[in-house]
């Protein structure tokens, strides 16, 4: 039973890794894509409109399966909204790492020049 659940979750993860918002989040988590985290948050707005339209349609007598689209739109909207601040933190960490590396390299080159002068 446990093996079946494990296999199903692995296959679901593989399938969901190709979802558009998951691809976008994966792209914004790379070093080149970190600067696009905040603009990617703006894509939450269309999801909000889709959820709003589906709720209005359901209230006016539309089909009940639109509730699934509402859940999907709200879930994707929340993923994109949460991803923005996370990418800002990751960008800050990468920036501090780069600054520390540059300082270390400058310090090493400066001490090498100092050693050459005194030889």
């Amino acid at each position: 039973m446990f093996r079946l659940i494990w296999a199903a979750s692995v296959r679901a993860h593989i399938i969901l890794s190709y979802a558009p918002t998951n691809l976008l989040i994966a792209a914004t988590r790379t070093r080149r894509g970190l600067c696009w985290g905040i603009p990617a948050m703006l894509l939450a707005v269309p999801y909000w409109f889709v959820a709003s339209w589906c709720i209005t349609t359901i209230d006016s007598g539309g089909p009940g399966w639109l509730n699934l689209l509402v859940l999907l739109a709200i879930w994707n909207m929340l993923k994109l909204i949460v991803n923005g601040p996370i990418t800002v933190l990751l960008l800050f960490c990468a920036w501090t790492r780069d600054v520390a590396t540059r300082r270390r390299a400058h310090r090493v080159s400066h001490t090498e020049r100092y050693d050459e002068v005194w030889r």
Side-chain angles (χ1 to χ4, degrees):
M1 179 78 171
F2 182 71
R3 202 176 339 173
L4 178 67
I5 294 171
W6 185 268
S9 68
V10 167
R11 283 178 178 77
H13 175 72
I14 291 170
I15 291 169
L16 290 177
S17 67
Y18 292 106
T21 54
N22 293 338
L23 289 174
L24 178 66
I25 289 172
T28 58
R29 296 283 175 91
T30 63
R31 180 63 177 100
R32 278 185 60 201
L34 285 175
C35 60
W36 292 100
I38 296 296
M41 283 178 63
L42 294 175
L43 289 176
V45 175
Y47 282 110
W48 181 75
F49 282 124
V50 167
S52 174
W53 177 81
C54 287
I55 290 172
T56 304
T57 305
I58 291 168
D59 287 343
S60 64
W65 59 267
L66 286 177
N67 287 317
L68 293 175
L69 287 180
V70 170
L71 288 173
L72 182 67
I74 290 174
W75 176 249
N76 287 333
M77 180 181 64
L78 290 174
K79 281 195 302 188
L80 290 172
I81 289 172
V82 169
N83 186 48
I86 290 172
T87 56
V88 170
L89 289 173
L90 291 174
L91 184 62
F92 180 73
C93 290
W95 179 76
T96 55
R97 220 175 311 122
D98 291 345
V99 168
T101 304
R102 270 188 253 123
R103 283 184 183 166
R104 205 173 310 119
H106 178 70
R107 195 177 310 129
V108 167
S109 68
H110 185 67
T111 54
E112 287 174 356
R113 279 191 235 136
Y114 182 75
D115 289 343
E116 288 175 4
V117 170
W118 289 102
R119 282 185 191 173

